[in-house]
Amino acid sequence: MPNPHFLRLQSTWCEQKRWADILWTLGPDFYINFARGPVTVHDVSERPRTTRACWQGLAWVRFACERLWEGPEHPAIGRNGQDMTP
């Protein structure tokens, strides 16, 4: 990784459904890199499972960006393959 970027996507905000706060705090670097192509996410947790920040938060960010940028929308798939789009 020649030029890594770091951000914190808080799972507590996902639980509290603070969607606007999540989008606001990601920052322009994330959005530029996300718009240019694939973004690799490395998640760190004390539990050996996918975190809420990944299965809910990142799915929300992708859905919001696809909708805003009028790109092809993909279903928001959560933990255990559950469709969260509705």
Side-chain angles (χ1 to χ4, degrees):
M1 239 191 281
N3 191 14
H5 296 272
F6 299 91
L7 62 90
R8 181 170 184 220
L9 200 155
Q10 297 186 43
S11 60
T12 305
W13 288 5
C14 297
E15 292 172 12
Q16 296 170 350
K17 298 179 177 28
R18 294 174 60 182
W19 308 124
D21 290 333
I22 291 170
L23 295 176
W24 179 255
T25 59
L26 292 180
D29 285 345
F30 173 80
Y31 290 116
I32 292 291
N33 289 318
F34 187 57
R36 286 182 174 169
V39 173
T40 302
V41 175
H42 296 279
D43 188 26
V44 179
S45 175
E46 68 279 355
R47 297 181 181 168
R49 65 177 186 191
T50 305
T51 64
R52 180 179 294 270
C54 276
W55 68 262
Q56 188 177 31
L58 289 176
W60 158 247
V61 170
R62 187 184 75 184
F63 173 78
C65 288
E66 287 174 350
R67 196 107 196 244
L68 179 66
W69 297 337
E70 298 178 355
E73 292 184 24
H74 299 87
I77 303 301
R79 193 179 339 178
N80 301 325
Q82 180 180 358
D83 186 4
M84 300 183 306
T85 306

